[in-house]
């Protein structure tokens, strides 16, 4: 986890990049570096030192042939394996950035991207072609936002670094998507003129020419899936074991966020198998310690040092304002608050923490998957005689979970935007490639929409705000590509979820954890809004950026969604 920034086509490029790095200095407290490609082009990097802590690991870094210069945010987990394949390189460092750089120089950028196992957003300057290349990892673990108008390009890890390139004017399509989803999906960004590079995409840019393309197409990945259930459990264990092994690579201590659920306990089991001593952390509120006994049981079983972080059950307006200031865009996932609490507790103690993110999307862990599977089973007879199985379209599935429906969003936005989300989903050929069958369709959509735009954004923002890097073994692309091909009964069967994962580790996990139903990482927003945040909501709403009447008729998640937007907009002084 670091911060990158770059500009071309703007005067005083070095000074601009330094200001951009300053705006996101929390991402890289261990030093800054700037490379000047000319009077109007510069590339900068704010470093969080995790691999090769010496000055040799400093960025931006230039290749041995002098052609390429790179700034990397994130980690290339298989850098050791790639390094062994790059012959004739006189290595100057022991980290992953130089491996990525020399791989691009030797193999080309596109071929290198396909061989990476990691979470990353990087910027590469081609000194011969005078061209920028930007790339982002497969599932959006690391962010990359940019401004470009044909003559100028500016990019950074966070939107706040691009303040000089927008006027805080809201983008209506982005606001429409936020009111539906609780987050703003790529390529949209909340401010006009700014975009996000979508997950699994790369960009080539030079004045007058900008080309963006998808480099990861999981539907084209056909990892062999074993024929028998026993063989598939062994495949699952092998993939997870290797994903954990790679994510334990660091020159600093690594911790684990332990919830006492199946996903994080599986990671604890594999870390213990690798004989890596981890400290584990569990976040609990004063009135909800549900996770604590399960997490404690897991830590004891695997001999891990365990810490319980107790946060206030009654957050004041300061916590909400802190979240609004940390998240560059309005964000309505209430679990952002406990995520920030975890990051605050880790600051200065650990730079790297493993999480169980992605386990639900890979192996079918959410409650609504069981409902979808049950409905699909009822339609099996109809499917056998040639009728639809209820898969529907991506737009229908997403709209069915919308916080505010399309008619309400049009009213709130006073007809500034209408149907934008539906058009966005309908125009995305990737989402339209979702597999048939209602459950597989839902899993696919969740992996590539809320996971790549909501969950990853939540954790990266919360942790980076306090100089911590999160690593998620279940987001290893090999696991996601393999799991998408599993039979439905390996995912959800008769109300049981994560069937194959539980079977694979059933003999290793404590039985209390193996049989435990999912316990979310959210927050009791109903109680908050009726109690400690009641006055804050009263003072903040109705928000002047939306129609007043409908705002006064909301409650629960809808009220929280509006409150977080109002707090964010006030902090950013956003306008239409």
């Amino acid at each position: 986890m670091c911060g990158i920034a770059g500009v071309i086509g703007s005067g005083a490029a070095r000074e601009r990049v330094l200001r951009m790095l300053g705006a996101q200095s929390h991402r890289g407290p261990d030093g800054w570096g700037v490379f000047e490609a000319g009077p109007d082009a510069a590339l900068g990097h704010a470093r969080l030192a995790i691999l090769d802590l010496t000055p040799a690991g400093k960025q931006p870094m230039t290749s041995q042939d002098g052609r390429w210069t790179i700034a990397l945010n994130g980690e290339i987990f298989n850098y050791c394996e790639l390094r062994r394949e790059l012959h004739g390189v006189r290595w100057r460092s022991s980290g992953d950035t130089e491996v990525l750089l020399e791989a691009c120089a030797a193999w080309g950028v596109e071929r290198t991207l396909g061989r990476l196992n990691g979470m990353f957003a990087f910027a590469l300057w081609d000194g011969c072609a005078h061209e920028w290349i930007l790339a982002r990892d497969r599932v959006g673990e690391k962010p990359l936002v940019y401004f470009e108008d044909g003559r100028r390009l500016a990019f950074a890890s966070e939107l706040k670094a691009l303040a000089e390139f927008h006027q805080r004017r809201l983008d209506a399509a982005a606001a429409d998507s936020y009111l539906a989803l609780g987050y703003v999906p790529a390529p949209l960004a909340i401010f006009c003129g700014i975009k996000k590079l979508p997950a699994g995409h790369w960009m080539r840019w030079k004045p007058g020419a900008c080309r963006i393309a998808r480099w990861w197409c999981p539907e084209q990945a056909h990892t062999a899936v074993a024929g028998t259930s026993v063989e598939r459990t062994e495949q699952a264990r092998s993939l997870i074991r290797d994903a954990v092994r790679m994510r334990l690579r660091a020159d600093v201590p690594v911790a684990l966020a332990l919830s006492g659920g199946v996903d994080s306990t599986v990671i604890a089991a594999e870390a213990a198998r690798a004989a890596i001593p981890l400290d584990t952390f569990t976040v609990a509120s004063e009135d909800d310690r549900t996770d604590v006994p399960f997490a404690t049981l897991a830590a004891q079983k695997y001999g891990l040092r365990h810490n319980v972080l107790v946060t206030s059950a009654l957050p004041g307006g300061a916590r909400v304002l802190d979240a609004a200031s940390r998240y560059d865009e309005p964000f309505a996932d209430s679990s952002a608050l406990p995520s920030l609490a975890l990051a605050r507790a880790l600051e200065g103690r650990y730079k790297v923490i493993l999480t169980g993110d992605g386990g639900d999307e890979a192996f079918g862990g959410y409650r609504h998957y069981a409902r979808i599977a049950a409905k699909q089973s009822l339609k099996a007879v109809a499917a056998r005689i040639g009728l639809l199985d209820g898969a529907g379209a991506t737009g229908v599935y997403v709209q069915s979970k919308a916080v505010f429906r399309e008619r309400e969003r049009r009213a709130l936005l006073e007809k500034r935007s209408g149907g934008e989300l539906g058009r966005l989903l309908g125009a995305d050929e990737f989402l339209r490639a979702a597999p048939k069958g209602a459950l597989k369709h839902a899993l696919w959509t969740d992996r590539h929409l809320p996971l790549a735009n909501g969950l990853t954004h939540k954790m990266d923002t919360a942790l980076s705000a306090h100089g911590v890097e999160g690593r998620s073994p279940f987001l290893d692309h090999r696991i996601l590509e393999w799991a998408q091909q599993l039979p439905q009964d390996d995912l959800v069967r008769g109300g049981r979820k994560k069937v194959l994962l539980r079977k694979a580790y059933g003999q290793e996990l404590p039985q209390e954890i193996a049989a435990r139903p999912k316990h979310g990482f959210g927050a009791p927003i109903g109680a908050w809004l009726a109690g400690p945040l009641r006055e804050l909501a009263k003072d903040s709403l109705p928000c002047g950026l939306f129609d007043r009447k409908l705002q006064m008729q909301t409650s629960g998640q809808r009220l929280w969604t509006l409150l977080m937007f109002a707090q964010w907009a006030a902090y950013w002084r956003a306008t239409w």
Side-chain angles (χ1 to χ4, degrees):
M1 189 281 299
C2 300
I4 63 174
V7 295
I8 187 171
S10 297
R14 177 182 175 85
E15 289 71 23
R16 284 181 182 270
V17 165
L18 285 171
R19 287 195 295 272
M20 294 163 72
L21 292 177
Q24 48 189 357
S25 59
H26 47 278
R27 300 187 71 92
D30 296 331
W32 296 0
V34 177
F35 165 80
E36 295 181 79
D40 69 341
L43 174 64
H45 183 265
R47 185 184 187 194
L48 182 71
I50 292 174
L51 291 171
D52 191 345
L53 311 185
T54 72
K58 184 180 178 180
Q59 300 181 49
M61 187 179 291
T62 300
S63 61
Q64 289 185 13
D65 62 10
R67 175 176 177 176
W68 307 93
T69 300
I70 196 169
L72 166 67
N73 170 24
E75 306 288 348
I76 308 303
F77 297 122
N78 64 333
Y79 74 100
C80 295
E81 290 78 5
L82 295 177
R83 183 181 179 122
R84 289 194 288 269
E85 297 182 36
L86 291 164
H87 306 294
V89 178
R90 299 185 305 276
W91 297 106
R92 297 161 290 175
S93 70
S94 60
D96 59 335
T97 302
E98 189 179 12
V99 173
L100 171 60
L101 177 62
E102 297 300 339
C104 289
W107 303 332
V109 178
E110 190 164 15
R111 182 185 171 201
T112 297
L113 284 169
R115 302 195 63 188
L116 299 180
N117 185 317
M119 53 178 193
F120 54 84
F122 65 80
L124 191 65
W125 169 251
D126 182 345
C128 291
H130 293 276
E131 180 180 59
W132 286 105
I133 298 173
L134 309 180
R136 194 167 174 218
D137 66 66
R138 295 171 176 84
V139 293
E141 292 185 79
K142 292 300 161 188
L144 191 58
V145 293
Y146 67 94
F147 162 89
E148 75 94 17
D149 62 4
R151 298 179 298 106
R152 298 174 297 163
L153 171 69
F155 55 86
S157 296
E158 296 190 8
L159 187 60
K160 59 174 64 70
L162 298 181
E164 296 183 34
F165 298 91
H166 64 74
Q167 290 75 45
R168 298 189 177 92
R169 290 191 303 109
L170 294 166
D171 182 271
D176 177 72
S177 295
Y178 168 76
L179 291 172
L181 305 173
Y183 56 86
V184 179
L188 298 175
I190 195 62
F191 289 127
C192 293
I194 308 297
K195 293 183 179 179
K196 304 189 193 88
L197 187 65
H201 284 67
W202 68 319
M203 171 198 289
R204 288 184 176 271
W205 191 96
K206 61 173 56 179
C210 178
R211 183 170 70 88
I212 298 174
R214 174 175 291 280
W215 64 267
W216 181 55
C217 298
E219 70 273 14
Q220 297 176 3
H222 297 291
T223 307
V225 174
T228 70
S229 176
V230 172
E231 290 172 333
R232 291 195 295 274
T233 62
E234 287 305 312
Q235 282 187 312
R237 290 168 62 92
S238 176
L239 286 167
I240 294 168
R241 181 174 304 126
D242 199 51
V244 172
R245 177 185 64 83
M246 284 188 177
R247 283 155 184 79
L248 290 170
R249 291 173 171 170
D251 294 331
V252 296
V254 179
L256 168 65
L258 187 60
S259 70
V262 171
D263 299 337
S264 62
T265 306
V266 164
I267 295 172
E270 291 296 351
R273 190 192 312 279
I276 302 295
L278 294 181
D279 276 6
T280 60
F281 293 86
T282 302
V283 177
S285 67
E286 293 170 346
D287 65 347
D288 184 3
R289 298 175 181 250
T290 306
D291 289 339
V292 173
F294 296 97
T296 302
L297 179 63
Q300 290 174 345
K301 179 175 177 61
Y302 303 115
L304 306 174
R305 297 182 296 272
H306 189 223
N307 303 270
V308 178
L309 311 175
V310 180
T311 62
S312 172
L314 304 175
R319 290 286 178 87
V320 176
L321 180 59
D322 178 56
S325 66
R326 300 291 189 179
Y327 285 83
D328 284 353
E329 297 183 302
F331 190 65
D333 185 340
S334 61
S335 65
L337 272 67
S339 298
L340 283 165
L342 171 65
R344 278 192 297 270
L346 294 174
E347 186 173 13
R349 301 174 64 181
Y350 285 89
K351 288 184 177 181
V352 179
I353 186 164
L354 302 184
T355 76
D357 291 347
D360 291 316
E361 290 81 1
F363 290 100
Y366 291 124
R367 294 186 183 96
H368 68 275
Y369 293 155
R371 295 193 295 270
I372 291 172
K375 290 180 181 179
Q376 188 167 315
S377 296
L378 292 174
K379 296 177 181 179
V381 174
R384 281 197 292 271
I385 62 174
L387 300 180
L388 293 177
D389 69 350
T394 293
V396 174
Y397 173 69
V398 174
Q399 294 282 14
S400 71
K401 301 195 299 178
V403 181
F404 290 96
R405 300 302 173 93
E406 183 175 330
R407 176 180 56 81
E408 297 168 321
R409 301 197 304 271
R410 288 178 62 89
L412 281 168
L413 293 168
E414 298 175 323
K415 299 183 179 180
R416 286 187 179 87
S417 176
E420 297 291 349
L421 179 63
R423 282 195 286 274
L424 176 69
L425 297 172
D428 193 322
E429 294 182 3
F430 180 59
L431 287 173
R432 293 207 305 271
K436 302 299 182 183
L439 178 62
K440 287 297 188 77
H441 187 102
L443 280 159
W444 176 275
T445 304
D446 286 348
R447 289 168 188 163
H448 302 295
L449 195 62
L451 174 63
N453 295 278
L455 179 60
T456 54
H457 173 63
K458 176 191 72 177
M459 293 307 298
D460 177 80
T461 301
L463 293 172
S464 68
H466 296 277
V468 181
E469 176 179 276
R471 298 179 175 183
S472 305
F474 285 107
L475 293 182
D476 188 302
H477 71 278
R478 298 169 301 172
I479 294 176
L480 294 174
E481 290 173 355
W482 178 78
Q484 73 181 358
Q485 301 175 74
L486 289 173
Q488 178 172 310
D489 282 354
D490 278 354
L491 303 170
V492 179
R493 187 189 310 161
R496 294 160 50 212
K497 301 179 292 296
K498 295 182 181 173
V499 174
L500 181 68
L501 183 63
R502 293 176 190 273
K503 180 178 180 181
Y505 286 89
Q507 300 301 313
E508 293 189 38
L509 304 187
Q511 285 305 112
E512 298 90 333
I513 293 174
R516 185 188 179 195
K518 182 174 178 59
H519 180 253
F521 193 46
I525 57 176
W528 286 358
L529 292 168
L533 298 182
R534 182 177 180 181
E535 291 302 314
L536 179 66
K538 183 178 178 181
D539 293 341
S540 304
L541 299 173
C543 173
L545 296 168
F546 297 140
D547 174 76
R548 297 177 61 87
K549 183 178 179 182
L550 185 58
Q551 293 182 68
M552 305 309 293
Q553 303 169 358
T554 58
S555 60
Q557 183 62 43
R558 291 153 66 91
L559 179 59
W560 180 263
T561 300
L562 291 175
L563 174 61
M564 294 308 295
F565 188 98
Q567 287 289 300
W568 171 88
Y571 178 83
W572 279 84
R573 303 192 302 279
T575 62
W576 286 113

